[in-house]
Amino acid sequence: MDNIGNDIVDLNLAKTQSNWQRDGFLEKQFTKSEQDIILKSKNPFLQVWQFWSMKEAAYKCYTQQVEKRFFAPLKFECNLISKDEGTVIFEDNIFYTTTIFSLFYLSTIAKQKATTTSIFSKIGKADNVDKDLKIKLALIINVLPEEITKRKSSIGAPLFYHQEKKITQSCSISHHGNYGTFAFTLNNET
């Protein structure tokens, strides 16, 4: 299965609620190599949150595969290919990431293959994510949004159905502060 994960960071909220410069923060969340990149970056604040969102997106992608949650940020190693493209390595797994930057947020999508089937995503207001996702799915499969239901997997990953037919193969929803985002791939039978 080709799973997908995503994460979003409200940069204004991160500035006020998270002090990445406090003692021990970088050491608990980031590898030595990542810390070196952060500290040498032109904008260490943005680099911290890009790596954070890359790890979170890769984690969500991986946990859908193994259906088990855990906390191990140091085991997910971020590498940059360009400003917005990267990889995250966890054990024998490589996740390919793309990060979108704005003045107000950054958002990362992680996937398990360098090339993949179509990914659908949208960034919007945190309160509207589920509604926006159902509208997008309804347009794709030509049904009414209220006919689509959300269920959760054993680890809480969202799955969407029309009647009893699963529509999404993989789906990830993220919220932080004022922003929310979703990313999904369609079930092969849709």
Side-chain angles (χ1 to χ4, degrees), residues 25-73:
F25 181 84
L26 291 179
E27 293 81 4
K28 289 179 183 173
Q29 307 300 329
F30 303 102
T31 66
K32 179 70 175 122
S33 172
E34 292 165 340
Q35 291 175 52
D36 290 344
I37 293 167
I38 289 166
L39 296 174
K40 291 176 184 171
S41 173
K42 290 179 185 175
N43 189 334
F45 170 79
L46 268 185
Q47 195 58 67
V48 162
W49 297 112
Q50 181 183 15
F51 281 165
W52 177 280
S53 71
M54 288 170 66
K55 288 176 184 258
E56 282 287 318
Y59 168 80
K60 289 177 180 180
C61 194
Y62 181 75
T63 57
Q64 287 183 57
Q65 177 184 327
V66 298
E67 296 188 355
K68 185 174 100 177
R69 291 183 178 268
F70 56 93
F71 182 75

Side-chain angles (χ1 to χ4, degrees), residues 4-23:
I4 191 165
N6 75 347
D7 191 53
I8 194 162
V9 176
D10 179 328
L11 296 173
N12 289 324
L13 189 60
K15 281 179 190 171
T16 61
Q17 285 190 343
S18 300
N19 179 6
W20 66 270
Q21 295 173 307
R22 74 178 181 268
D23 282 346

Side-chain angles (χ1 to χ4, degrees), residues 160-173:
F160 288 84
Y161 290 79
H162 176 251
Q163 296 167 348
E164 290 302 313
K165 183 178 179 188
K166 189 165 94 168
I167 305 168
T168 54
Q169 175 181 325
S170 178
C171 184
S172 181
I173 298 174

Side-chain angles (χ1 to χ4, degrees), residues 133-146:
L133 199 157
K134 286 181 179 183
I135 289 169
K136 181 67 173 176
L137 285 169
L139 288 170
I140 292 169
I141 66 168
N142 200 26
V143 298
L144 297 172
E146 51 271 13

